[in-house]
Amino acid sequence: MKIEKVNQSRCDKDNWRDTEFGSVFSDHMFIVNYKNGQWQEGQIKPYGAINILPSLHSLHYGQAIFEGMKAYKGPKDETFLFRPDQNAKRFNKSAVRMCMPEIPEDLFLEGLFELLKLDEKWIPHGESSALYIRPFMFASSNFIKANPSDEYTFIIITCPVQAYYKGEVHVKVELDYTRASSGGTGAAKAAGNYGASFFPAKKAQEEGFQQLIWTDGNNHQFIEESGTMNIFFRRNDELITPPLSDSILPGITRDSLIKLADHIGIPCKEEKIGLEKIALGHRLGNITEAFGAGTAATVASINSITYKDQKLSFEDKSDSFARKLKTELQNLQYGRSEDPFGWRVTV
Ligand code: COI
């Protein structure tokens, strides 16, 4: 792997803390091109502009995918990743769905490890602070025939971040627009899924909500995801979350929480979650918590869900399942607890 280092680092310990999530980038990036049916030699170089032409295939047809991961600092200044192999595997599943080449897992992880070693000082210390890692791939041929691209570019960039949601999270159930439909690309981390969600999400923000709850594309009767996160509800003393399908992203945080819940004795069921049942359960006092789970947001308690003209409010209790699971998860991620799952990887 070729490595070209910056002459002078831009890392200033805290100058990014008052900025938007993911808007300050570390010194270097990892980049590797795919052409003539093969991945070329990877390179690390200073973070900076990439040369593109207006005919760049992905600008026209959106053959583009990404991942979200984080690097954490441990109590002895160690650097940890959390289940990085799962991100590499999911990336390749997204690639297959989007008719893009899979990237060898070794190349993905080797590039990432080298990058993290070089930009280690960018990994922030502190609760809920981490280095957010954004691996992505886009079609980089220059033609506008509507065929799959021949060439692709894979890049990893990183940025120091704090908590994704800082205040309360009030969400609205989306009953008109859909994030993903059966047979579509919802289970892939395809760039277009996010682009298409911005318009309904912006409308909800204008109405005072932080995010949306996405419902099924057929009848808008079942809950699928919340914003860019998977969703969980507490029903009496158990958790429920929608089962994976081709319209739900197989979240690594989601999977980890299901396993962690089981580990600490909280039953978690994967079942279809009807909106009417949630509204009724809330009225009867059986549905007492809702939270989202994702890499960027970790575990985000939902303060209220507006469904048609009903506002379902949730009390923020100190003994909530969300808090318990968030603590367990972060203890693992930041190296503060034993890791019986073998999920934590030291860089
Ligand atoms: C993540 O949680 O990593 C995501 O992909 C959300 C991102 C769009 C901010």
Side-chain angles (χ1 to χ4, degrees):
M1 178 185 317
K2 278 196 212 136
I3 299 184
E4 183 196 338
K5 294 188 190 168
V6 291
N7 294 328
Q8 178 142 29
S9 171
R10 287 177 285 101
C11 186
D12 170 352
K13 283 271 173 267
D14 281 318
N15 68 349
W16 55 273
R17 285 201 186 263
D18 295 327
T19 59
E20 283 263 6
F21 182 98
S23 57
V24 172
F25 297 92
S26 70
D27 289 327
H28 299 93
M29 61 186 181
F30 174 71
I31 179 162
V32 53
N33 292 310
Y34 177 90
K35 54 177 141 186
N36 304 321
Q38 283 186 12
W39 287 100
Q40 310 293 304
E41 188 186 2
Q43 281 186 63
I44 288 190
K45 47 189 196 175
Y47 174 88
I50 47 173
N51 222 348
I52 61 166
L53 291 171
S55 50
L56 187 84
H57 187 288
S58 48
L59 296 181
H60 300 267
Y61 302 119
Q63 242 191 322
I65 57 172
F66 70 93
E67 267 304 315
M69 320 169 61
K70 279 176 177 169
Y72 307 88
K73 272 288 169 200
K76 295 187 194 130
D77 206 34
E78 315 94 309
T79 298
F80 296 125
L81 285 166
F82 187 70
R83 310 184 74 187
D85 58 314
Q86 294 301 308
N87 292 93
K89 287 188 172 64
R90 186 174 64 181
F91 192 77
N92 281 335
K93 284 195 182 143
S94 301
V96 170
R97 177 62 185 85
M98 294 302 288
C99 202
M100 300 168 93
E102 293 176 65
I103 180 162
E105 221 174 291
D106 290 355
L107 181 59
F108 181 114
L109 295 174
E110 209 181 288
L112 175 58
F113 273 57
E114 282 306 318
L115 184 63
L116 290 177
K117 282 186 206 153
L118 212 55
D119 281 350
E120 196 206 325
K121 59 177 174 295
W122 284 86
I123 308 170
H125 290 86
E127 195 59 26
S128 295
S129 295
L131 190 71
Y132 186 78
I133 300 164
R134 174 52 61 88
F136 62 106
M137 170 162 58
F138 57 93
S140 45
S141 285
N142 285 289
F143 66 76
I144 52 173
K145 188 167 183 210
N147 275 358
S149 179
D150 298 322
E151 300 186 357
Y152 296 87
T153 301
F154 172 83
I155 302 183
I156 307 178
I157 54 176
T158 70
C159 39
V161 296
Q162 292 172 287
Y164 195 77
Y165 290 108
K166 294 207 170 118
E168 296 202 336
V169 180
H170 297 275
V171 303
K172 174 191 139 175
V173 177
E174 179 57 63
L175 297 170
D176 296 318
Y177 298 96
T178 342
R179 190 193 82 91
S181 56
S182 175
T185 58
K189 222 159 160 60
N193 293 344
Y194 295 77
S197 76
F198 294 156
F199 180 67
K202 182 163 175 264
K203 283 179 77 163
Q205 276 153 16
E206 283 163 3
E207 290 169 44
F209 301 101
Q210 275 65 46
Q211 261 302 347
L212 291 172
I213 285 191
W214 297 108
T215 52
D216 70 279
N218 298 326
N219 305 307
H220 299 288
Q221 284 177 357
F222 294 96
I223 291 176
E224 300 227 305
E225 293 190 13
S226 177
T228 60
M229 302 177 288
N230 294 111
I231 189 164
F232 288 79
F233 290 90
R234 178 179 182 159
R235 183 177 59 198
N236 299 319
D237 284 326
E238 62 181 10
L239 283 172
I240 50 172
T241 190
L244 294 180
S245 71
D246 60 358
S247 57
I248 294 187
L249 188 81
I252 295 158
T253 310
R254 172 191 181 278
D255 181 70
S256 307
L257 292 187
I258 293 174
K259 293 182 170 130
L260 264 176
D262 180 56
H263 184 67
I264 61 172
I266 302 173
C268 181
K269 293 192 178 130
E270 294 175 69
E271 62 181 50
K272 286 187 88 158
I273 303 180
L275 281 159
E276 290 300 334
K277 275 201 172 165
I278 289 294
L280 178 65
H282 182 270
R283 243 188 342 268
L284 296 175
N286 305 328
I287 301 289
T288 52
E289 268 185 65
F291 57 91
T295 301
T298 315
V299 176
S301 288
I302 294 173
N303 300 87
S304 78
I305 298 177
T306 296
Y307 169 49
K308 295 182 182 160
D309 55 357
Q310 305 169 55
K311 181 171 177 179
L312 322 180
S313 296
F314 298 97
E315 250 183 85
D316 186 12
K317 293 208 195 105
S318 58
D319 63 344
S320 71
F321 282 178
R323 246 179 242 268
K324 251 190 211 149
L325 286 171
K326 184 174 181 178
T327 304
E328 291 284 335
L329 181 68
Q330 291 192 324
N331 283 348
L332 276 177
Q333 292 172 330
Y334 289 85
R336 296 187 295 245
S337 65
E338 286 297 312
D339 176 13
F341 307 97
W343 287 342
R344 191 165 56 226
V345 174
T346 307
V347 177

Coordinates of all heavy atoms in Angstrom, one line a residue, residues 235-308:
R235 N -42.3 -3.6 25.5 CA -43.7 -4.0 25.8 C -43.7 -4.8 27.1 O -43.1 -5.9 27.2 CB -44.2 -4.9 24.7 CG -45.7 -5.3 24.8 CD -46.1 -6.1 23.6 NE -45.3 -7.3 23.4 CZ -45.3 -8.0 22.3 NH1 -45.9 -7.7 21.2 NH2 -44.5 -9.1 22.2
N236 N -44.2 -4.2 28.1 CA -44.1 -4.7 29.5 C -42.6 -5.0 29.8 O -41.8 -4.0 29.7 CB -45.0 -6.0 29.7 CG -46.4 -5.6 29.5 OD1 -46.9 -4.6 29.9 ND2 -47.2 -6.5 28.8
D237 N -42.2 -6.2 30.1 CA -40.8 -6.5 30.4 C -40.0 -7.1 29.3 O -39.0 -7.8 29.6 CB -40.7 -7.3 31.7 CG -41.0 -6.4 32.9 OD1 -40.7 -5.2 32.8 OD2 -41.7 -6.9 33.8
E238 N -40.4 -6.9 28.1 CA -39.6 -7.4 26.9 C -39.5 -6.3 25.9 O -40.1 -5.3 25.9 CB -40.3 -8.6 26.4 CG -41.7 -8.3 25.8 CD -42.4 -9.5 25.2 OE1 -42.0 -10.7 25.4 OE2 -43.5 -9.3 24.6
L239 N -38.6 -6.6 24.9 CA -38.4 -5.7 23.8 C -38.9 -6.3 22.6 O -38.9 -7.6 22.4 CB -36.9 -5.5 23.6 CG -36.2 -4.5 24.6 CD1 -34.7 -4.5 24.4 CD2 -36.8 -3.1 24.5
I240 N -39.4 -5.5 21.7 CA -39.8 -6.0 20.3 C -39.2 -5.1 19.3 O -39.0 -3.9 19.5 CB -41.3 -6.0 20.2 CG1 -42.0 -4.7 20.5 CG2 -42.0 -7.2 21.0 CD1 -43.5 -4.6 20.2
T241 N -38.8 -5.7 18.2 CA -38.3 -4.9 17.0 C -38.7 -5.6 15.7 O -38.9 -6.8 15.7 CB -36.7 -4.9 17.1 OG1 -36.2 -3.9 16.2 CG2 -36.1 -6.2 16.9
P242 N -38.9 -4.8 14.7 CA -39.4 -5.5 13.4 C -38.4 -6.5 12.9 O -37.2 -6.2 13.0 CB -39.6 -4.3 12.5 CG -39.6 -3.1 13.3 CD -38.8 -3.4 14.6
P243 N -38.9 -7.6 12.3 CA -37.9 -8.6 11.8 C -37.3 -8.0 10.5 O -37.9 -7.2 9.8 CB -38.8 -9.7 11.4 CG -40.2 -9.2 11.3 CD -40.3 -7.9 12.1
L244 N -36.1 -8.5 10.2 CA -35.4 -8.0 9.0 C -36.2 -8.4 7.8 O -36.9 -9.5 7.7 CB -34.0 -8.6 8.9 CG -33.0 -8.1 10.0 CD1 -31.7 -8.7 9.9 CD2 -32.9 -6.5 10.0
S245 N -36.1 -7.6 6.7 CA -36.8 -7.9 5.5 C -36.0 -7.1 4.4 O -35.0 -6.5 4.7 CB -38.2 -7.4 5.5 OG -38.2 -6.0 5.5
D246 N -36.4 -7.2 3.1 CA -35.7 -6.5 2.1 C -35.9 -5.0 2.2 O -35.4 -4.2 1.4 CB -35.9 -7.1 0.7 CG -37.4 -7.0 0.3 OD1 -38.2 -6.6 1.1 OD2 -37.7 -7.5 -0.8
S247 N -36.8 -4.5 3.1 CA -37.0 -3.1 3.2 C -36.4 -2.5 4.5 O -36.7 -1.4 4.9 CB -38.4 -2.7 3.0 OG -39.2 -3.4 4.0
I248 N -35.7 -3.4 5.3 CA -35.1 -2.9 6.6 C -33.6 -3.1 6.6 O -33.2 -4.2 6.2 CB -35.8 -3.7 7.7 CG1 -37.3 -3.2 7.8 CG2 -35.1 -3.4 9.1 CD1 -38.0 -3.7 9.0
L249 N -32.9 -2.1 7.0 CA -31.4 -2.3 7.0 C -31.0 -3.2 8.2 O -31.5 -3.0 9.3 CB -30.8 -0.9 7.2 CG -29.2 -0.9 7.1 CD1 -28.8 -0.9 5.6 CD2 -28.6 0.2 7.8
P250 N -30.2 -4.2 7.9 CA -29.7 -5.1 8.9 C -28.7 -4.4 9.8 O -27.5 -4.6 9.6 CB -29.2 -6.3 8.2 CG -28.8 -5.8 6.8 CD -29.7 -4.6 6.5
G251 N -29.1 -3.6 10.7 CA -28.3 -2.8 11.6 C -27.3 -3.7 12.4 O -27.8 -4.7 13.0
I252 N -26.1 -3.3 12.5 CA -25.1 -4.0 13.4 C -25.4 -3.6 14.8 O -25.3 -4.5 15.7 CB -23.7 -3.7 12.9 CG1 -23.5 -4.3 11.5 CG2 -22.6 -4.3 13.9 CD1 -22.4 -3.7 10.7
T253 N -25.8 -2.4 15.1 CA -26.2 -2.0 16.4 C -27.5 -2.8 16.8 O -27.6 -3.3 17.9 CB -26.4 -0.5 16.5 OG1 -25.3 0.2 16.0 CG2 -26.6 0.0 18.0
R254 N -28.4 -2.9 15.9 CA -29.6 -3.6 16.1 C -29.3 -5.1 16.5 O -29.8 -5.6 17.6 CB -30.5 -3.6 14.8 CG -31.7 -4.6 14.9 CD -32.3 -4.7 13.5 NE -33.5 -5.6 13.5 CZ -33.4 -6.9 13.5 NH1 -32.3 -7.5 13.4 NH2 -34.5 -7.6 13.5
D255 N -28.4 -5.7 15.8 CA -28.1 -7.1 16.1 C -27.4 -7.2 17.4 O -27.7 -8.1 18.2 CB -27.2 -7.6 14.9 CG -26.8 -9.1 15.1 OD1 -27.7 -9.9 15.0 OD2 -25.6 -9.3 15.5
S256 N -26.5 -6.2 17.7 CA -25.8 -6.3 19.0 C -26.7 -6.1 20.1 O -26.6 -6.8 21.2 CB -24.7 -5.2 19.0 OG -23.9 -5.3 17.8
L257 N -27.7 -5.2 20.0 CA -28.6 -5.0 21.1 C -29.5 -6.2 21.4 O -29.8 -6.5 22.5 CB -29.5 -3.8 20.8 CG -28.9 -2.4 20.8 CD1 -29.9 -1.3 20.7 CD2 -28.0 -2.2 22.0
I258 N -29.9 -6.9 20.3 CA -30.7 -8.1 20.5 C -29.9 -9.1 21.3 O -30.4 -9.7 22.3 CB -31.2 -8.7 19.1 CG1 -32.1 -7.7 18.4 CG2 -31.8 -10.1 19.3 CD1 -32.5 -8.1 17.0
K259 N -28.6 -9.3 20.9 CA -27.8 -10.3 21.6 C -27.5 -9.8 23.0 O -27.4 -10.6 24.0 CB -26.5 -10.5 20.8 CG -26.9 -11.2 19.5 CD -25.7 -11.6 18.7 CE -26.2 -12.5 17.5 NZ -25.7 -12.1 16.2
L260 N -27.2 -8.5 23.2 CA -26.9 -8.0 24.5 C -28.1 -8.1 25.5 O -28.0 -8.4 26.7 CB -26.5 -6.5 24.4 CG -25.1 -6.1 24.4 CD1 -24.9 -4.6 24.2 CD2 -24.3 -6.6 25.6
A261 N -29.3 -7.8 24.9 CA -30.5 -7.9 25.7 C -30.7 -9.3 26.3 O -30.9 -9.5 27.5 CB -31.7 -7.5 24.9
D262 N -30.5 -10.3 25.4 CA -30.6 -11.7 25.8 C -29.5 -12.0 26.9 O -29.8 -12.6 27.9 CB -30.3 -12.5 24.5 CG -30.4 -14.0 24.9 OD1 -31.4 -14.4 25.4 OD2 -29.4 -14.8 24.6
H263 N -28.3 -11.4 26.7 CA -27.2 -11.7 27.6 C -27.5 -11.1 29.1 O -27.1 -11.7 30.0 CB -26.0 -11.0 27.1 CG -24.7 -11.2 27.9 ND1 -24.1 -12.4 28.0 CD2 -24.0 -10.3 28.6 CE1 -23.1 -12.3 28.7 NE2 -22.9 -11.1 29.1
I264 N -28.3 -10.0 29.1 CA -28.6 -9.4 30.4 C -30.0 -9.8 30.9 O -30.5 -9.2 31.8 CB -28.3 -7.9 30.5 CG1 -29.2 -7.1 29.5 CG2 -26.8 -7.6 30.3 CD1 -29.1 -5.6 29.7
G265 N -30.6 -10.7 30.2 CA -31.9 -11.2 30.7 C -33.1 -10.4 30.3 O -34.2 -10.5 30.9
I266 N -33.0 -9.6 29.2 CA -34.2 -8.9 28.7 C -34.6 -9.7 27.4 O -33.9 -9.7 26.4 CB -33.9 -7.5 28.3 CG1 -33.4 -6.7 29.5 CG2 -35.1 -6.8 27.7 CD1 -32.9 -5.3 29.2
P267 N -35.8 -10.3 27.4 CA -36.2 -11.0 26.2 C -36.5 -10.0 25.1 O -37.0 -8.9 25.3 CB -37.5 -11.7 26.6 CG -37.8 -11.4 28.0 CD -36.8 -10.3 28.5
C268 N -36.0 -10.3 23.9 CA -36.3 -9.4 22.7 C -36.8 -10.3 21.6 O -36.2 -11.2 21.1 CB -35.0 -8.8 22.3 SG -35.2 -7.6 20.9
K269 N -38.0 -9.9 21.1 CA -38.7 -10.6 20.1 C -38.7 -9.8 18.8 O -38.9 -8.6 18.8 CB -40.2 -10.9 20.4 CG -40.3 -11.8 21.6 CD -41.7 -12.2 21.8 CE -41.8 -13.2 22.9 NZ -42.9 -12.9 23.9
E270 N -38.4 -10.5 17.7 CA -38.5 -9.9 16.4 C -39.9 -10.2 15.8 O -40.2 -11.3 15.5 CB -37.4 -10.4 15.4 CG -36.0 -10.0 15.9 CD -34.9 -10.7 15.1 OE1 -34.7 -10.3 14.0 OE2 -34.2 -11.5 15.7
E271 N -40.7 -9.2 15.7 CA -42.1 -9.4 15.2 C -42.6 -8.2 14.5 O -42.1 -7.1 14.7 CB -43.0 -9.8 16.4 CG -43.1 -8.7 17.4 CD -44.0 -9.2 18.6 OE1 -43.8 -10.3 19.1 OE2 -44.9 -8.4 18.9
K272 N -43.5 -8.4 13.6 CA -44.1 -7.3 12.9 C -44.8 -6.4 13.9 O -45.6 -6.9 14.8 CB -45.1 -7.8 11.8 CG -44.4 -8.4 10.6 CD -45.3 -8.7 9.5 CE -45.5 -7.5 8.6 NZ -46.0 -7.8 7.3
I273 N -44.6 -5.1 13.8 CA -45.2 -4.2 14.8 C -46.2 -3.3 14.1 O -45.9 -2.4 13.3 CB -44.1 -3.4 15.4 CG1 -43.0 -4.3 16.1 CG2 -44.6 -2.4 16.5 CD1 -41.9 -3.6 16.8
G274 N -47.5 -3.5 14.4 CA -48.6 -2.7 13.8 C -48.7 -1.4 14.6 O -48.6 -1.4 15.8
L275 N -49.0 -0.4 13.8 CA -49.2 1.0 14.4 C -50.3 1.0 15.4 O -50.2 1.6 16.5 CB -49.4 2.0 13.3 CG -48.1 2.4 12.6 CD1 -48.4 3.0 11.3 CD2 -47.4 3.4 13.5
E276 N -51.4 0.4 15.0 CA -52.6 0.4 15.9 C -52.3 -0.3 17.2 O -52.8 0.1 18.3 CB -53.8 -0.2 15.2 CG -54.4 0.6 14.0 CD -54.9 2.0 14.4 OE1 -55.2 2.2 15.6 OE2 -54.9 2.9 13.6
K277 N -51.6 -1.4 17.1 CA -51.2 -2.1 18.4 C -50.4 -1.3 19.3 O -50.5 -1.3 20.5 CB -50.5 -3.4 18.0 CG -51.4 -4.6 17.7 CD -50.7 -5.9 17.9 CE -51.7 -7.0 17.7 NZ -51.1 -8.3 17.6
I278 N -49.5 -0.5 18.7 CA -48.6 0.3 19.5 C -49.4 1.4 20.2 O -49.3 1.7 21.4 CB -47.4 0.9 18.6 CG1 -46.4 -0.2 18.2 CG2 -46.7 2.1 19.3 CD1 -45.6 -0.8 19.4
A279 N -50.3 2.0 19.4 CA -51.2 3.1 19.9 C -52.0 2.5 21.1 O -52.1 3.1 22.1 CB -52.0 3.7 18.8
L280 N -52.6 1.4 20.9 CA -53.5 0.8 21.9 C -52.6 0.4 23.1 O -53.0 0.7 24.3 CB -54.2 -0.5 21.3 CG -55.1 -1.2 22.3 CD1 -56.2 -0.4 22.7 CD2 -55.6 -2.5 21.6
G281 N -51.5 -0.3 22.8 CA -50.6 -0.7 23.9 C -50.1 0.5 24.8 O -50.0 0.4 26.0
H282 N -49.9 1.6 24.1 CA -49.5 2.8 24.8 C -50.6 3.3 25.7 O -50.4 3.7 26.9 CB -49.0 3.9 23.8 CG -48.6 5.1 24.4 ND1 -49.4 6.2 24.7 CD2 -47.3 5.5 24.9 CE1 -48.7 7.2 25.3 NE2 -47.4 6.8 25.4
R283 N -51.8 3.3 25.2 CA -53.0 3.7 25.9 C -53.2 2.8 27.2 O -53.5 3.3 28.2 CB -54.2 3.7 25.0 CG -54.9 5.0 24.8 CD -56.2 5.1 24.1 NE -56.7 4.0 23.3 CZ -56.5 3.9 22.0 NH1 -55.7 4.7 21.3 NH2 -57.0 2.8 21.4
L284 N -53.0 1.5 27.0 CA -53.2 0.6 28.1 C -52.0 0.5 29.1 O -52.0 -0.2 30.1 CB -53.4 -0.8 27.5 CG -54.7 -1.0 26.6 CD1 -54.7 -2.4 26.0 CD2 -55.9 -0.7 27.5
G285 N -50.9 1.2 28.7 CA -49.7 1.2 29.6 C -48.8 0.1 29.4 O -47.9 -0.2 30.2
N286 N -48.9 -0.7 28.3 CA -48.0 -1.8 28.0 C -46.8 -1.4 27.2 O -45.8 -2.0 27.4 CB -48.7 -2.9 27.2 CG -50.0 -3.4 27.9 OD1 -50.1 -3.4 29.1 ND2 -51.0 -3.7 27.1
I287 N -47.0 -0.4 26.4 CA -45.8 0.0 25.6 C -45.3 1.3 26.3 O -45.9 2.3 26.3 CB -46.3 0.4 24.1 CG1 -46.9 -0.8 23.5 CG2 -45.2 1.0 23.3 CD1 -45.9 -1.9 23.1
T288 N -44.1 1.1 26.9 CA -43.6 2.2 27.8 C -42.3 2.8 27.3 O -41.9 3.8 27.9 CB -43.4 1.6 29.2 OG1 -42.6 0.5 29.1 CG2 -44.7 1.3 29.9
E289 N -41.7 2.3 26.3 CA -40.5 2.9 25.8 C -40.4 2.7 24.3 O -40.9 1.7 23.7 CB -39.2 2.1 26.3 CG -38.7 2.6 27.6 CD -37.4 1.8 27.9 OE1 -36.4 1.9 27.2 OE2 -37.4 1.2 28.9
A290 N -39.7 3.6 23.6 CA -39.3 3.4 22.2 C -37.9 4.0 22.0 O -37.6 5.0 22.7 CB -40.3 4.2 21.3
F291 N -37.1 3.3 21.3 CA -35.8 3.9 21.0 C -35.2 3.4 19.7 O -35.6 2.4 19.2 CB -34.8 3.6 22.1 CG -34.6 2.2 22.5 CD1 -33.6 1.4 21.9 CD2 -35.3 1.5 23.4 CE1 -33.4 0.1 22.2 CE2 -35.1 0.2 23.8 CZ -34.1 -0.5 23.2
G292 N -34.4 4.3 19.1 CA -33.7 3.9 17.9 C -32.3 3.4 18.1 O -31.7 3.7 19.2
A293 N -31.8 2.6 17.2 CA -30.4 2.1 17.3 C -29.7 2.2 16.0 O -30.2 1.8 15.0 CB -30.5 0.6 17.8
G294 N -28.5 2.8 16.1 CA -27.7 2.9 14.9 C -26.3 3.2 15.2 O -26.0 3.6 16.4
T295 N -25.3 3.2 14.3 CA -23.9 3.5 14.6 C -23.8 4.9 15.0 O -23.2 5.2 16.1 CB -23.0 3.2 13.4 OG1 -23.2 1.8 13.1 CG2 -21.6 3.4 13.7
A296 N -24.3 5.8 14.2 CA -24.1 7.3 14.5 C -24.8 7.6 15.8 O -24.2 8.3 16.7 CB -24.7 8.1 13.3
A297 N -26.0 7.2 16.0 CA -26.8 7.7 17.2 C -26.6 6.7 18.4 O -27.1 7.0 19.5 CB -28.3 7.8 16.8
T298 N -26.0 5.6 18.2 CA -25.9 4.5 19.2 C -27.3 4.0 19.7 O -28.0 3.3 18.9 CB -25.1 5.0 20.4 OG1 -23.9 5.6 19.9 CG2 -24.6 3.8 21.3
V299 N -27.8 4.5 20.8 CA -29.1 4.2 21.3 C -29.8 5.5 21.6 O -29.3 6.3 22.4 CB -29.1 3.3 22.5 CG1 -30.5 3.0 23.1 CG2 -28.4 2.0 22.3
A300 N -30.9 5.9 20.9 CA -31.5 7.2 21.1 C -32.9 7.0 21.6 O -33.8 6.5 20.8 CB -31.4 8.0 19.8
S301 N -33.2 7.3 22.8 CA -34.6 7.2 23.3 C -35.5 8.2 22.6 O -35.1 9.3 22.2 CB -34.6 7.6 24.8 OG -34.0 6.6 25.5
I302 N -36.7 7.7 22.3 CA -37.7 8.6 21.6 C -38.6 9.1 22.7 O -39.2 8.4 23.5 CB -38.4 7.7 20.5 CG1 -37.4 7.3 19.5 CG2 -39.6 8.5 19.9 CD1 -37.9 6.3 18.4
N303 N -38.8 10.4 22.7 CA -39.6 11.1 23.7 C -41.1 11.0 23.4 O -41.9 11.0 24.2 CB -39.2 12.5 23.9 CG -37.7 12.6 24.4 OD1 -36.8 12.6 23.6 ND2 -37.5 12.5 25.7
S304 N -41.4 11.1 22.1 CA -42.8 11.0 21.7 C -42.9 10.6 20.2 O -42.0 10.8 19.4 CB -43.5 12.4 21.9 OG -43.2 13.2 20.8
I305 N -44.0 9.9 20.0 CA -44.3 9.5 18.6 C -45.7 10.1 18.3 O -46.7 9.8 19.0 CB -44.4 7.9 18.5 CG1 -43.0 7.3 18.8 CG2 -44.9 7.5 17.1 CD1 -43.0 5.8 18.8
T306 N -45.8 10.8 17.2 CA -47.1 11.4 16.8 C -47.6 10.5 15.6 O -46.9 10.3 14.6 CB -46.9 12.9 16.3 OG1 -46.5 13.6 17.5 CG2 -48.3 13.4 15.8
Y307 N -48.8 9.9 15.9 CA -49.4 9.0 14.9 C -50.8 9.6 14.6 O -51.6 9.6 15.5 CB -49.4 7.6 15.5 CG -50.3 6.6 14.7 CD1 -50.1 6.5 13.3 CD2 -51.2 5.8 15.4 CE1 -50.9 5.6 12.6 CE2 -52.0 4.9 14.7 CZ -51.8 4.8 13.3 OH -52.6 3.9 12.6
K308 N -51.0 10.0 13.4 CA -52.2 10.7 13.0 C -52.4 11.9 14.0 O -51.5 12.7 14.2 CB -53.4 9.8 13.0 CG -53.2 8.7 11.8 CD -54.4 7.8 11.7 CE -54.2 6.8 10.7 NZ -55.1 5.6 10.8

